[in-house]
Amino acid sequence: MAQKEYDVFVIGTGTAGKTVAYDFAAAGMKVAIADNREFGGTCPNRGCDPKKVLVGITEAMQLSENLKGKGIISVPKISWKDLQKFKSTFTDAVPASTEKKLKEAGIEMFHQSPKFLDENTLSVEGKTVKAKKIVIATGQKPMELKIPGREHLKVSDDFLELEELPESIVFVGAGYIGMEFAHIAARCGAKVTVIEFEDRPLGPFEADIVSHLTKASEELGIKFIFNAEVSKVEKLQKNYRVSFKKNGKTESIDTRMVFNTAGRAPSIDELDLEKGNVTFEKGGISVNEYLQNTTNKNVYACGDVSASGSLPLTPTSSQEARIVSLNIRQGNSTKMDFPPVPSVVFTIPQIAAIGLTEKEAKEKGYDFVVEYKSVPKWFNAKRIKEEVYAYKTIVDKERNIVLGAHIVAAEAGEMINLFVLAMCGKLTTENLKAMIFAYPTWGNDIKGMV
């Protein structure tokens, strides 16, 4: 059988992989794509989308709780089984729909992780294939905790597929995933404990803003164990025992289920990158400003798997895919130049951020002014009886533009998008204050934050 040859071979069918594959096919190139999991990638199958569906139900519950006695007579109960059925209406069709669209675009599909044989050759499904260009867009996977009993740890995929919610859960790690799932589980009735190596949750976020969420989480019933390193997980008759070291002592907690939410790592283990002369680092595939691998010039990487320095988020994956697409089709002509990127933690309340923290602004030597206030008496919080509402903005004194914005609020995720517009457009605080927004909306509140 003749060896197959392609103009471009794409590894990964998530946001980044699909985007480049469709572009190349539309340009008349011979394209193949491969994935060792269900087609469609993390976000729609087992990430942002299904998670937000679960969050949506808890938002309805929390709003009812806030307004109980203010017109709401009783707080609704959550059926975990019905919630999972609802969530599946968003995820079940994704793989087949993705494959159908790829087939219609004339893209050949492989259902296995390829392995490099040399710089332009891959082995996949028992076949040897050659490609002029190879795009790695394999995303990330849960980072393995190298501790005894790690085989007992569940991951985010498992949480999203739970048929029943256990009575008690321990989450190891208080990053995005740990905090979001902890809030979902606690509101749905589980006893939740979060064990974190650092002294607070959400390390990259502004500490002052995170403190409000930490307090709200504790009031919800979530127990935090900070400055603790998990050392072992043991299977008991019904429970699991999680041992951890804190203050030089070993302690333990028993729970029905344990989840590893300690972070994610580039999904590159199965690729045999060394045989392809593809360099990589802790953050993923090593790339230059064109998202081209630093040693194998026939390889490009985009999305969460690239060590580009951008945040591992779906919107940045789309942006990186666009850059890779242009550079392969038109020669290296487009450098990576990201605008300010917002990030959101979908807890209740939400935390949203863009730009620099106060600490980062100091380190970069800016002359700036900080405004940090807790404003639960502002109208939008009062009308839904939301007791947590705070913001912190960092403004450059000389240019009078926003360097960073950090919000904890019920609708922080929507509000931060207006700061994206302000920062990308380099609008001054006077520009923002002069604008007329609809009232009373959460968006209108940003004028009071600068």
Side-chain angles (χ1 to χ4, degrees):
M1 184 174 171
Q3 180 175 264
K4 291 198 171 188
E5 296 188 7
Y6 301 94
D7 294 311
V8 184
F9 197 105
V10 181
I11 309 174
T13 61
T15 300
K18 286 185 301 183
T19 299
V20 292
Y22 288 136
D23 280 358
F24 299 141
M29 303 168 81
K30 188 176 181 184
V31 185
I33 195 167
D35 206 317
N36 64 345
R37 294 199 61 173
E38 62 272 22
F39 275 36
T42 297
C43 192
N45 280 308
R46 53 189 180 271
C48 350
D49 292 356
K51 170 201 71 183
K52 194 69 187 295
V53 174
L54 301 188
V55 169
I57 297 295
T58 62
E59 286 172 336
M61 183 181 183
Q62 184 62 48
L63 185 58
S64 297
E65 182 73 50
N66 289 353
L67 297 175
K68 185 179 178 181
K70 309 297 177 185
I72 296 292
I73 296 172
S74 61
V75 178
K77 293 182 179 179
I78 290 178
S79 165
W80 183 262
K81 187 174 288 187
D82 289 344
L83 175 54
Q84 287 287 34
K85 283 181 182 177
F86 180 51
K87 181 222 68 184
S88 69
T89 64
F90 292 84
T91 57
D92 285 356
V94 170
S97 173
T98 303
E99 291 196 38
K100 181 182 178 183
K101 290 175 183 176
L102 289 167
K103 183 178 180 181
E104 289 172 350
I107 298 166
E108 189 167 348
M109 291 171 280
F110 293 88
H111 294 79
Q112 188 185 71
S113 179
K115 296 181 183 296
F116 277 88
L117 298 178
D118 60 38
E119 290 196 351
N120 288 90
T121 312
L122 300 166
S123 173
V124 58
E125 290 186 356
K127 304 177 183 71
T128 299
V129 301
K130 277 195 172 291
K132 294 174 185 175
K133 300 293 180 186
I134 297 169
V135 177
I136 301 175
T138 48
Q140 295 183 338
K141 62 180 183 178
M143 179 176 66
E144 184 181 21
L145 289 177
K146 298 188 184 218
I147 58 172
R150 59 184 175 271
E151 67 274 13
H152 302 309
L153 293 167
K154 303 289 187 183
V155 295
S156 57
D157 296 21
D158 301 310
F159 183 86
L160 291 169
E161 294 299 327
L162 282 176
E163 292 184 5
E164 293 182 5
L165 191 69
E167 295 175 12
S168 58
I169 300 176
V170 167
F171 293 99
V172 182
Y176 285 85
I177 299 170
M179 289 297 289
E180 290 171 340
F181 286 176
H183 270 243
I184 292 168
R187 284 190 171 82
C188 289
K191 180 182 177 182
V192 175
T193 302
V194 179
I195 303 175
E196 168 57 37
F197 182 74
E198 301 292 343
D199 60 0
R200 67 176 178 92
L202 302 168
F205 286 80
E206 182 65 59
D208 288 330
I209 296 298
V210 172
S211 67
H212 293 275
L213 178 63
T214 304
K215 183 181 178 183
S217 302
E218 289 171 338
E219 290 174 352
L220 177 61
I222 296 171
K223 179 183 177 182
F224 289 103
I225 303 174
F226 294 125
N227 300 304
E229 182 177 5
V230 173
S231 55
K232 183 170 60 174
V233 179
E234 301 170 87
K235 177 76 171 73
L236 306 179
Q237 187 171 354
K238 284 187 177 180
N239 296 322
Y240 293 91
R241 178 160 295 155
V242 183
S243 298
F244 56 91
K245 295 177 183 176
K246 180 177 171 67
N247 298 325
K249 297 179 181 179
T250 297
E251 302 177 45
S252 66
I253 181 173
D254 292 354
T255 184
R256 284 296 175 91
M257 200 168 283
V258 193
F259 286 87
N260 170 13
T261 53
R264 295 174 70 80
S267 186
I268 55 177
D269 297 349
E270 299 182 32
L271 300 177
D272 283 353
L273 295 173
E274 294 88 348
K275 291 182 181 178
N277 190 30
V278 179
T279 46
F280 58 94
E281 53 199 87
K282 184 180 179 182
I285 305 296
S286 303
V287 292
N288 60 20
E289 65 268 35
Y290 301 106
L291 297 178
Q292 180 183 46
N293 183 238
T294 51
T295 49
N296 184 342
K297 301 305 179 184
N298 300 311
V299 169
Y300 289 75
C302 53
D304 296 356
V305 77
S306 79
S308 64
S310 66
L311 293 171
L313 303 170
T314 298
T316 55
S317 294
S318 299
Q319 186 84 329
E320 289 192 8
R322 184 185 68 83
I323 292 168
V324 166
S325 173
L326 289 169
N327 287 333
I328 289 180
R329 289 184 291 115
Q330 301 174 9
N332 284 352
S333 57
T334 305
K335 293 184 179 182
M336 183 176 58
D337 182 21
F338 283 99
V341 178
S343 52
V344 183
V345 184
F346 290 104
T347 46
I348 303 174
Q350 300 170 0
I351 277 189
I354 185 170
L356 303 178
T357 62
E358 184 177 356
K359 181 182 176 184
E360 290 167 341
K362 285 178 183 175
E363 290 171 349
K364 290 179 180 291
Y366 284 105
D367 184 16
F368 59 92
V369 60
V370 173
E371 186 168 329
Y372 167 48
K373 288 182 181 177
S374 176
V375 289
K377 292 187 178 179
W378 281 12
F379 176 77
N380 282 303
K382 283 179 69 176
R383 72 176 177 81
I384 61 169
K385 296 286 291 179
E386 179 53 70
E387 296 179 0
V388 181
Y389 189 9
Y391 68 89
K392 189 174 199 176
T393 50
I394 296 117
V395 175
D396 186 295
K397 278 186 180 178
E398 183 181 347
R399 295 173 294 167
N400 206 24
I401 60 173
V402 178
L403 298 173
H406 311 270
I407 308 169
V408 55
E411 294 292 342
E414 296 297 335
M415 297 169 74
I416 208 69
N417 287 327
L418 294 178
F419 278 108
V420 174
L421 293 173
M423 291 178 69
C424 288
K426 291 184 169 53
L427 302 178
T428 66
T429 59
E430 286 89 351
N431 293 148
L432 279 174
K433 288 179 180 294
M435 291 180 178
I436 298 175
F437 294 125
Y439 178 86
T441 61
W442 289 91
N444 184 70
D445 284 358
I446 76 161
K447 296 200 292 182
M449 297 180 177
V450 294

